Amino acid sequence: MITINNDWDNIFESEIKKDYFTSLQAFLDNEYSTKAIYPERDNIFTAFKLCSYENTKVIILGQDPYHNYHQAHGLAFSVLEGIELPPSLKNIYKEIESDIGLKMSNNGNLAKWASQGVLLLNTVLTVQDGKPNSHKNVGWESFTDYVIKTLCDNKDKLIFLLWGNDAYKKIPLISNNHVILTAAHPSPFSAYRGFFGCKHFSKVNDILKENNQPIIDWQI
């Protein structure tokens, strides 16, 4: 059983009773009891706890959590304050500085974005220490498909930032009344192939202005 303590609980109530999610939970029981898995189990659903369904207006979609010790805490691309910025987050900050001229800090906690309606979601929500994509195809994709489809079917004018090939796979789930912005993953392996220069952060705020919605303060 998972508890979010906001409106996501009602949305997840029937989904977490499905066979695939029951199997996923059993898989995680074994993984967390026998291996180092990130984030800590209590933090798997942090993205939903900090960004309610009602408040969600921007979805940043990545791959899976950081796979090094003490980095992942349940928000895609985020680390807690005091943790060295991972390379992907450094590149995100570089793009923000280039795009909208903000000078970003060494604080990697993106909870401020979540509080403004940015759902920081990975396609897969857990990972084994040192092994990226180690929890791929064990059920998380079905769950995040459900999240995206539910958002798209019931809300208007959402903005999706899809970064990398795993995120691109969600495009068929997103209906035409929403905005899709795509770019390479901000990882050092791919950022120079289409993440740098994407200007997603200014584009998001331009779209929000057009829709008469509050813009995102990206400053960290």
Side-chain angles (χ1 to χ4, degrees):
M1 183 62 65
I2 64 173
T3 303
I4 309 299
N5 290 320
N6 62 28
D7 51 8
W8 284 111
D9 283 322
N10 290 332
I11 291 166
F12 293 158
E13 184 177 8
S14 60
E15 191 69 12
I16 63 176
K17 295 175 182 175
K18 291 184 177 178
D19 288 345
Y20 87 86
F21 199 87
T22 301
S23 296
L24 172 60
Q25 292 291 89
F27 169 82
L28 293 175
D29 288 342
N30 181 67
E31 288 287 282
Y32 275 94
S33 65
T34 60
K35 300 168 187 171
I37 304 298
Y38 308 131
E40 292 183 8
R41 194 153 189 178
D42 288 346
N43 292 333
I44 292 175
F45 299 100
T46 299
F48 303 101
K49 293 177 181 179
L50 297 184
C51 182
S52 69
Y53 169 81
E54 179 66 28
N55 289 341
T56 298
K57 57 185 179 181
V58 178
I59 299 91
I60 294 179
L61 195 60
Q63 179 179 292
D64 60 350
Y66 294 126
H67 55 268
N68 292 328
Y69 176 70
H70 210 49
Q71 288 184 326
H73 68 113
L75 291 179
F77 300 106
S78 178
V79 292
L80 292 174
E81 189 171 0
I83 303 299
E84 182 179 356
L85 299 183
S88 292
L89 187 53
K90 287 181 181 178
N91 287 338
I92 290 169
Y93 281 10
K94 285 180 184 177
E95 177 59 23
I96 291 173
E97 291 180 353
S98 171
D99 181 13
I100 51 182
L102 295 177
K103 179 63 177 175
M104 304 298 279
S105 72
N106 289 323
N107 175 11
N109 191 339
L110 305 181
K112 177 181 174 181
W113 296 0
S115 69
Q116 298 176 80
V118 180
L119 184 63
L120 292 155
L121 184 66
N122 283 310
T123 60
V124 170
L125 302 189
T126 54
V127 69
Q128 185 180 338
D129 176 67
K131 295 184 177 181
N133 272 330
S134 50
H135 284 184
K136 191 173 183 178
N137 298 324
V138 298
W140 281 127
E141 292 88 349
S142 296
F143 180 74
T144 52
D145 280 359
Y146 171 75
V147 169
I148 291 170
K149 193 170 188 309
T150 299
L151 285 166
C152 288
D153 288 351
N154 297 285
K155 294 176 75 75
D156 293 318
K157 299 177 180 177
L158 295 170
I159 306 170
F160 287 85
L161 309 187
L162 307 184
W163 296 345
N165 291 332
D166 287 286
Y168 300 163
K169 294 175 183 176
K170 302 293 192 185
I171 290 176
L173 302 173
I174 303 171
S175 48
N176 292 334
N177 57 322
H178 306 291
V179 176
I180 300 173
L181 302 177
T182 61
H185 193 279
S187 158
F189 300 108
S190 55
Y192 287 95
R193 299 200 300 269
F195 180 77
F196 289 133
C198 70
K199 298 188 180 297
H200 278 185
F201 304 95
S202 62
K203 288 177 180 178
V204 164
N205 281 345
D206 287 345
I207 295 164
L208 291 172
K209 286 179 188 175
E210 291 172 7
N211 293 335
N212 297 312
Q213 293 181 281
I215 64 173
I216 305 299
D217 177 6
W218 298 110
Q219 180 74 66
I220 301 291

